[in-house]
């Protein structure tokens, strides 16, 4: 067994996407634009879901929280990457790295729990519509959200504590933020310990919501099959298509990134996948929900109409004064 020199690490160097130095300006511009679109799109969806009276339902409470999560998730990593690309200084202190790891894992895991709650909401709406109001309430959604935050925070705290106890054989991370996989690859800990950590905790906290979502949609599919109605099928697809697409985007990248043997890791490719789920997915989520949801479209139109009316009123008042 080969040994590597062990060093006391006080800071890490985030190599990021430095393997393409000539493409840095282009990458910087593209990522900046996607980040701004993601933040503004999710902020707009959050404002609409919170302010529009017709969207004051449990489903849109969860959707607004998902928008908040997407803003938080992309803001944990992307501004730092852009600052590093702009300044050329790619160092991050050990403590800041652990803080970033904690928040990234907590917020990333929370997105899966929210999608699981939304899947349960869709299941009740389609399979037991007459009892929907009795089963799904704002109080239940709030309890689910708070409980999920507690679970993911404890899990992320455990990860962060375990990582702080590792001995590292260098300080150069082939990534643009402090993620669990490159940190474990850089440590002198035996690989079997690293894999056990990823698979046991990962399956328990990250993948379990995915199986819950699969179970919910399996029950929905069985219920629709027994109804033998094309109209019901169309309504169900219209109701669930946005959510299914978001689930596929999130878990497709998560499974590709984390749940595979360490022998298949390619840190350069992992950076590209990480760009997808930290920038592209948060950017696409509000577009998916606004383009495929008639209620959100209507709320956006009402919001823009209010702004237009308010703007015209102010212009008219100014003209009368003149």
């Amino acid at each position: 067994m080969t040994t590597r020199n062990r060093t006391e690490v006080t800071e890490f160097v985030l190599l990021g996407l430095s393997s393409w130095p000539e493409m840095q300006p282009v990458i910087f511009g593209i990522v900046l634009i996607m980040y701004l679109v993601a933040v503004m799109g999710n902020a707009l969806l959050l404002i609409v879901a919170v302010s529009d009276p017709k969207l004051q339902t449990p489903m849109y409470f969860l959707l607004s929280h998902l928008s908040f999560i997407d803003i938080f998730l992309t803001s944990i990593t992307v501004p730092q990457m852009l600052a590093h690309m702009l300044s050329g200084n790619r160092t991050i202190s050990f403590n800041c790295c652990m803080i970033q790891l904690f928040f990234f894992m907590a917020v990333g895991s929370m997105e899966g729990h929210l999608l699981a709650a939304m899947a349960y909401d869709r299941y009740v709406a389609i399979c037991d519509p007459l009892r929907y109001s009795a089963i799904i309430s704002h109080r239940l959604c709030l309890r689910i959200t708070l409980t999920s935050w507690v679970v993911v925070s404890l899990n992320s705290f455990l990860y962060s504590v375990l990582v702080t106890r590792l001995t590292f054989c260098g300080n150069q991370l082939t990534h643009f933020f402090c993620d669990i996989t490159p940190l474990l690859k850089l440590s002198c800990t035996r690989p079997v310990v690293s894999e056990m950590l990823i698979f046991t905790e990962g399956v328990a906290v990250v993948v379990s919501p995915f199986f819950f979502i699969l179970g919910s949609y399996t029950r929905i599919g069985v219920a629709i099959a027994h109804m033998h109605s094309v109209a019901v099928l169309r309504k169900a697809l219209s109701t669930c298509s946005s959510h299914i697409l978001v689930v596929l985007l999130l878990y497709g990248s998560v499974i590709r990134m984390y749940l595979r043997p360490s022998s298949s890791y390619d840190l350069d490719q992992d950076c590209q996948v990480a760009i997808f789920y930290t920038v592209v997915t948060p950017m696409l989520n509000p577009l998916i929900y606004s383009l495929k949801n008639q209620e959100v479209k209507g709320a956006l139109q009402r919001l823009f109409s209010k702004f237009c009316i308010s703007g015209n009123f102010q212009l008219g008042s100014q003209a009368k004064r003149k």
Side-chain angles (χ1 to χ4, degrees):
M1 178 178 176
T2 60
T3 59
R4 295 181 288 176
N5 294 328
R6 301 187 179 190
T7 58
E8 184 177 351
V9 174
T10 59
E11 64 180 18
F12 292 100
V13 179
L14 300 173
L15 300 180
L17 304 174
S18 58
S19 56
W20 304 299
E22 68 282 354
M23 295 293 293
Q24 294 295 305
V26 177
I27 295 173
F28 178 88
I30 293 174
V31 173
L32 176 61
I33 292 172
M34 290 193 298
Y35 172 70
L36 293 176
V37 172
V39 171
M40 291 187 293
N42 281 288
L44 180 60
L45 188 57
L46 177 60
I47 292 170
V48 168
V50 171
S51 63
D52 194 284
K54 293 186 177 180
L55 299 185
Q56 302 305 304
T57 63
M59 177 63 182
Y60 289 104
F61 168 80
L62 296 173
L63 181 58
S64 64
H65 205 82
L66 181 64
S67 295
F68 168 75
I69 290 294
D70 281 336
I71 295 173
F72 198 177
L73 179 66
T74 192
S75 297
I76 292 170
T77 58
V78 176
Q80 174 191 262
M81 180 185 70
L82 295 174
H84 285 179
M85 293 174 67
L86 198 61
S87 66
N89 180 14
R90 300 175 181 272
T91 60
I92 181 173
S93 68
F94 184 88
N95 291 334
C96 288
C97 184
M98 295 302 104
I99 293 172
Q100 186 182 52
L101 174 67
F102 169 80
F103 280 111
F104 177 77
M105 297 198 67
V107 175
S109 300
M110 186 61 191
E111 186 160 9
H113 285 251
L114 275 177
L115 291 175
M118 294 169 74
Y120 179 67
D121 176 273
R122 294 300 85 199
Y123 161 73
V124 176
I126 293 173
C127 299
D128 199 358
L130 298 179
R131 298 180 58 222
Y132 177 83
S133 299
I135 298 174
I136 305 295
S137 64
H138 282 90
R139 179 176 294 182
L140 175 64
C141 293
L142 184 59
R143 287 178 179 176
I144 292 173
T145 302
L146 292 177
T147 302
S148 298
W149 270 118
V150 172
V151 171
V152 300
S153 297
L154 290 175
N155 177 72
S156 299
F157 180 73
L158 173 63
Y159 264 77
S160 302
V161 170
L162 290 174
V163 171
T164 59
R165 299 174 65 86
L166 295 176
T167 303
F168 295 96
C169 301
N171 71 336
Q172 293 189 343
L173 292 177
T174 311
H175 218 302
F176 59 90
F177 68 95
C178 292
D179 197 5
I180 185 67
T181 302
L183 285 168
L184 291 176
K185 293 288 286 185
L186 191 62
S187 75
C188 302
T189 307
R190 291 178 58 193
V192 64
V193 176
S194 303
E195 291 189 7
M196 286 178 61
L197 178 65
I198 291 176
F199 279 95
T200 55
E201 290 296 316
V203 169
V205 177
V206 178
V207 182
S208 55
F210 179 65
F211 287 119
F212 183 87
I213 293 169
L214 286 179
S216 298
Y217 278 108
T218 300
R219 296 286 298 273
I220 290 174
V222 172
I224 293 174
H226 288 162
M227 293 177 186
H228 302 290
S229 172
V230 176
V232 172
L233 176 60
R234 289 177 178 174
K235 184 177 180 180
L237 289 175
S238 174
T239 303
C240 301
S241 59
S242 299
H243 183 261
I244 292 173
L245 187 54
V246 171
V247 169
L248 292 176
L249 286 173
L250 174 65
Y251 279 98
S253 56
V254 167
I255 292 172
R256 168 67 179 82
M257 185 74 178
Y258 298 105
L259 301 179
R260 54 199 170 100
S262 60
S263 58
S264 64
Y265 283 138
D266 185 326
L267 293 178
D268 287 332
Q269 292 184 7
D270 286 352
C271 284
Q272 299 172 34
V273 177
I275 285 285
F276 185 83
Y277 70 76
T278 58
V279 187
V280 178
T281 299
M283 179 186 69
L284 293 177
N285 285 354
L287 295 176
I288 292 170
Y289 276 107
S290 61
L291 293 176
K292 287 183 169 292
N293 191 307
Q294 295 299 325
E295 291 179 334
V296 174
K297 283 183 180 179
L300 287 171
Q301 291 174 356
R302 288 189 291 272
L303 180 64
F304 289 137
S305 297
K306 288 180 181 179
F307 277 114
C308 291
I309 293 172
S310 176
N312 291 334
F313 177 77
Q314 291 178 358
L315 290 175
S317 300
Q318 292 175 1
K320 287 180 181 180
R321 291 173 184 174
K322 292 180 180 179

